[in-house]
Amino acid sequence: MDSTTENSSNPDFKGLRVVAFESRMAAETRTLIERFGGRAIIAPSMREVPLEDNHAALDFAARILAGDLDAAIFLTGVGVRELFRVMETRHDRAALVAALGRIVTVARGPKPVAAMRGLGLAPTITIPEPNTWREVLACMAAQIELAGKRVAVQEYGSTNRDLNAGLEARGAIVTGVPVYRWTLPVDRAPLRVAIGAIAAGEADIALFTSSNQVTNLMQMADADGAGGALIRGLGTLVVASIGPVCTQELRGRGIAVDLEPEHAKLGHLIKEAAVRGGSILARKRGTSRAAQAAGRGEALAQRSDPQAADAAQRGALHDHPIMRACRREPTPYTPIWLMRQAGRYMPEYRRVRDRYSFLELCQQPDLAAEVTTTAVARLGVDAAIIFADILLPLVPMGVGLRYEKGDGPVIDRPLRSAADLDRIPPVAAADALGYVAESIRLVRRALGDRTPLIGFAGAPFTLASYLIEGGSSRQYQATKTLMYTESATWHRMMEMIARVTADYLNMQIAAGADIVQLFDSWVGSLSPDDYRRFVLPHTRSVIAAVRPGVPVIHFGTVTGNLLELMREAGGDVIGLDWRVDLREAWDRLGPGVAVQGNLDPIALFAGAAEIRRRARAILERAQGRPGHIFNLGHGILPETPVGHVIALVDAVHEMSARR
Ligand code: CP3
């Protein structure tokens, strides 16, 4: 019988090399793979570490006993049992069960249900299959009002940031209750062997049985400088995933999943891999050869090899006019993009926005990506800017960020003292803001090698001003008071923000951003002396930490008195608002830097002829010098007519065209 027949239901690996990352069930995994005729490469990737002093679990106990929570979500069975083991070191089980009986309890699927039953608890809500965070959210939202509810989420392993973000987007106040954390195993040699085998094409099937395995495997490979080779290797073999959560983690890292079993169980996974693995592999490798023979190697490489595709894309974009302008190289025309090019002025945006809150839009990568690319297509601009907000890093800081209609952003618990600052938990961008990375990956894929993508973040001063004022401000009274009276706290806060921001920008670059812009929108409220003392070192540390080779645009408004200092802080391109004359500002900055700007956004309310005149005036101020990126001096206003924006883009392209 043909070994590659697809509907052969006989589980037989026929000697294929099967890599698995199971830890707890390592022995069973090996036995099953070998029973089905596979050659097993077992590389345990995780070690469970019970938290010695599990404060989060004990706080959780105290809060349920005090009636201080409205709902608790239990994500895993092992987690439920471990949580109780910790809580019962201090409290009576019967009291805990009774207290939980008074609030809404949610079990994600059969395992937590069973664990809860074992303790004498019946969940209020049971989440149906495939019980990913989407079902948890949808089910809860359908059965209870989430706004204002205090919700605890029992975590096991890594935090489910999508679930937390979704709950927060619906107004819930979320507390994570980590019960176990995963670390890499003590003996990492088998994992290194497996990574080497995958990278060298010496494995045929990879079995993933949890999302934490993916995280740990990539962490290890990255630490060894083998991340790219590993992802490329995985693109040439059969990747089998136990279920939707694990699949989502793999896809989020650009790893295609070839197989998911009908039931999310180890035995089913191995059996189905044994039934279908051979034919999938033949198809994958066969197609690859056929395509290469047909001379379409490159297109295929893009599909099966995300890292190489990424490198190829960056290469192809290297000579895009906007990339050249960042390096002050001559361009065939002046490239243009516009701050807030995806926003309320655009009907396509308002239509999506009618159905979702602003935070939901930012936190759902498919929506954020759609909004980003729609703006590029509609306007014909030379760059995309990822749809997000400079304030998103404040969400994991737990300060209670809300976007209120009419009032702009509001921070419920502003930082006004050293004690406030001490309450801010450490923020790791990849964990807390991974949805932005995912949006970038989606946009990158959609744009191909046609249009560069700009990532961005708020600069430390502007973010600090929101954190301290609790929202937008006119005078920055609280901000400057803290700066002047508690300078040690001020610098500590700025260092914290700078660390998060650098990490966040590099995460965006790793995901595919070609350029990054640092928004210091409100820094113009400072004197040069204060800027030098209280801001410059921190902005400089962010810019210096950005991955070399990726251009940085450093933007602020009302900065006529600060331009030289901003230049000193860093950036390949300095963003100018409309209050300065472009030519004079560029002369002050010197020849070693590019500039961006600087049309008054209100000019877009005038007619096409006036827009054209003003755009021409700016192009004339730039005198065709290499290194000018056309932009507004600040973001597009919500009432701006779309047609006028398109007219501006066309006018700039046409008037600046150089033969
Ligand atoms: O430029 C783009 O198209 C990308 C997206 C983007 C947004 N905000 C989306 C957004 C960018 C680059 C930002 C940056 C930003 N956010 C800055 C720096 C730039 C500037 O304008 O100075 C600042 C200060 C913020 C903080 C912020 N976010 C404010 C003050 C507001 C409310 C005011 C307003 O314009 O609504 C936001 C909300 C916000 N950010 C919206 C958008 C599209 C509007 C949200 C909505 O749809 O209601």
Side-chain angles (χ1 to χ4, degrees):
M1 199 183 87
D2 178 1
S3 68
T4 62
T5 305
E6 214 168 314
N7 48 16
S8 150
S9 61
N10 197 16
D12 188 352
F13 282 117
K14 295 201 160 71
L16 291 177
R17 297 155 298 184
V18 184
V19 185
F21 301 99
E22 250 306 313
S23 306
R24 206 170 355 150
M25 308 278 275
E28 292 86 339
T29 304
R30 176 182 295 282
T31 307
L32 274 174
I33 292 173
E34 289 174 353
R35 181 181 305 158
F36 293 135
R39 281 188 278 160
I41 305 171
I42 307 294
S45 59
M46 312 203 297
R47 175 163 53 106
E48 296 166 28
V49 182
L51 300 180
E52 292 313 326
D53 252 329
N54 198 331
H55 295 294
L58 293 172
D59 282 353
F60 172 72
R63 288 186 69 190
I64 44 173
L65 291 170
D68 201 19
L69 280 174
D70 302 301
I73 304 175
F74 296 100
L75 293 181
T76 68
V78 203
V80 170
R81 282 188 284 270
E82 177 61 15
L83 177 63
F84 266 80
R85 194 184 65 75
V86 177
M87 294 196 298
E88 285 178 40
T89 61
R90 298 266 177 95
H91 305 281
D92 189 34
R93 178 186 295 187
L96 293 165
V97 169
L100 279 170
R102 288 190 286 274
I103 68 173
V104 174
T105 50
V106 180
R108 184 188 65 170
K111 286 184 180 167
V113 171
M116 289 167 76
R117 288 234 177 85
L119 294 156
L121 255 171
T124 325
I125 300 175
T126 301
I127 307 300
E129 293 227 2
N131 43 61
T132 70
W133 62 274
R134 288 181 205 279
E135 284 78 32
V136 178
L137 209 55
C139 246
M140 286 186 72
Q143 299 193 39
I144 60 170
E145 171 62 52
L146 281 164
K149 292 288 156 55
R150 298 154 302 178
V151 180
V153 183
Q154 167 257 309
E155 298 167 355
Y156 191 67
S158 54
T159 303
N160 192 321
R161 46 183 194 255
D162 295 315
L163 174 60
N164 292 1
L167 290 165
E168 279 169 359
R170 284 163 182 76
I173 303 147
V174 182
T175 311
V177 186
V179 181
Y180 257 111
R181 66 186 165 203
W182 297 106
T183 66
L184 287 161
V186 179
D187 179 9
R188 300 174 191 181
L191 205 49
R192 287 217 165 83
V193 169
I195 292 171
I198 293 171
E202 288 162 4
D204 305 301
I205 300 182
L207 304 177
F208 290 92
T209 46
S210 87
S211 60
N212 292 302
Q213 291 172 5
V214 183
T215 313
N216 279 13
L217 177 68
M218 286 312 302
Q219 186 192 328
M220 201 33 218
D222 283 338
D224 287 353
L230 174 66
I231 291 186
R232 274 193 295 281
L234 285 169
T236 65
L237 45 72
V238 176
V239 176
S241 153
I242 188 100
V245 178
C246 182
T247 297
Q248 202 181 334
E249 186 67 40
L250 285 160
R251 293 213 172 114
R253 293 170 184 278
I255 300 164
V257 174
D258 301 300
L259 184 155
E260 224 186 65
E262 205 170 315
H263 303 285
K265 294 212 168 72
L266 182 68
H268 284 269
L269 176 74
I270 299 176
K271 193 168 173 187
E272 274 189 50
V275 172
R276 294 171 50 209
S279 62
I280 297 173
L281 189 69
R283 189 157 6 102
K284 255 184 133 167
R285 294 197 173 148
T287 326
S288 146
R289 274 194 300 275
Q292 270 157 11
R296 285 188 285 110
E298 203 180 315
L300 196 93
Q302 296 216 357
R303 251 178 292 137
S304 63
D305 185 347
Q307 286 255 315
D310 174 54
Q313 226 145 35
R314 281 185 208 268
L317 287 169
H318 185 262
D319 275 325
H320 189 284
I322 196 165
M323 302 304 294
R324 292 182 62 91
C326 289
R327 300 189 300 266
R328 287 169 285 111
E329 294 167 5
T331 53
Y333 58 90
T334 301
I336 172 172
W337 70 279
L338 303 160
M339 288 183 272
R340 291 282 176 96
Q341 63 192 22
R344 279 171 303 186
Y345 78 100
M346 196 175 265
E348 290 90 338
Y349 173 79
R350 290 197 300 270
R351 274 201 291 278
V352 184
R353 183 68 174 73
D354 282 344
R355 290 182 287 134
Y356 302 93
S357 73
F358 174 63
L359 264 182
E360 279 177 318
L361 268 191
C362 293
Q363 293 176 336
Q364 295 192 37
D366 48 340
L367 295 178
E370 179 193 321
V371 168
T372 307
T373 51
T374 303
V376 175
R378 183 83 199 269
L379 303 177
V381 282
D382 296 294
I385 178 159
I386 192 65
F387 188 81
D389 195 70
I390 63 163
L391 302 180
L392 295 178
L394 309 195
V395 174
M397 292 183 191
V399 292
L401 169 69
R402 292 180 284 125
Y403 289 88
E404 291 289 291
K405 244 201 175 82
D407 299 344
V410 178
I411 284 124
D412 286 329
R413 295 175 289 283
L415 306 186
R416 297 280 166 86
S417 65
D420 291 343
L421 178 59
D422 292 336
R423 275 196 285 276
I424 302 294
V427 171
D431 289 339
L433 297 155
Y435 56 87
V436 176
E438 180 59 13
S439 308
I440 289 176
R441 282 189 281 266
L442 293 177
V443 171
R444 192 12 80 250
R445 230 168 286 156
L447 294 175
D449 58 8
R450 294 181 303 280
T451 312
L453 172 60
I454 301 173
F456 70 91
F461 175 84
T462 293
L463 287 184
S465 82
Y466 281 99
L467 276 170
I468 298 167
E469 304 288 339
S472 305
S473 174
R474 284 163 58 100
Q475 307 284 358
Y476 305 93
Q477 189 180 317
T479 308
K480 290 186 184 184
T481 303
L482 185 87
M483 187 164 123
Y484 298 154
T485 60
E486 286 189 54
S487 70
T489 303
W490 168 264
H491 284 296
R492 212 151 56 77
M493 188 185 303
M494 292 289 276
E495 277 161 19
M496 182 275 288
I497 298 170
R499 248 192 327 271
V500 173
T501 305
D503 180 32
Y504 180 40
L505 286 174
N506 283 325
M507 177 197 80
Q508 296 182 48
I509 291 166
D514 303 287
I515 300 174
V516 292
Q517 173 153 331
L518 204 53
F519 284 92
D520 214 348
S521 304
W522 313 135
V523 79
S525 57
L526 294 180
S527 71
D529 268 355
D530 285 340
Y531 182 90
R532 178 179 285 292
R533 218 171 119 204
F534 294 110
V535 175
L536 194 150
H538 304 290
T539 301
R540 186 184 356 233
S541 89
V542 173
I543 295 175
V546 169
R547 186 164 115 186
V550 176
V552 176
I553 306 173
H554 184 184
F555 166 81
T557 69
V558 208
T559 50
N561 62 331
L562 299 175
L563 289 175
E564 291 84 354
L565 290 170
M566 285 177 66
R567 161 107 175 85
E568 211 178 309
D572 303 273
V573 183
I574 301 291
L576 305 172
D577 82 0
W578 66 93
R579 298 171 183 90
V580 292
D581 176 275
L582 186 136
R583 181 163 162 200
E584 282 169 22
W586 205 348
D587 285 344
R588 276 169 57 195
L589 288 165
V593 74
V595 296
Q596 173 174 281
N598 68 338
L599 183 72
D600 184 344
I602 309 277
L604 289 173
F605 290 85
E610 182 61 20
I611 291 172
R612 208 178 157 82
R613 249 192 310 280
R614 286 174 172 266
R616 185 191 299 282
I618 288 171
L619 290 170
E620 278 168 3
R621 299 311 283 161
Q623 300 175 296
R625 267 170 72 176
H628 176 215
I629 298 169
F630 203 105
N631 205 316
L632 304 178
H634 205 169
I636 301 182
L637 293 160
E639 302 80 11
T640 308
V642 181
H644 292 191
V645 181
I646 296 170
L648 170 69
V649 174
D650 291 347
V652 168
H653 282 157
E654 181 208 314
M655 294 187 299
S656 66
R658 292 175 270 269
R659 252 155 291 172

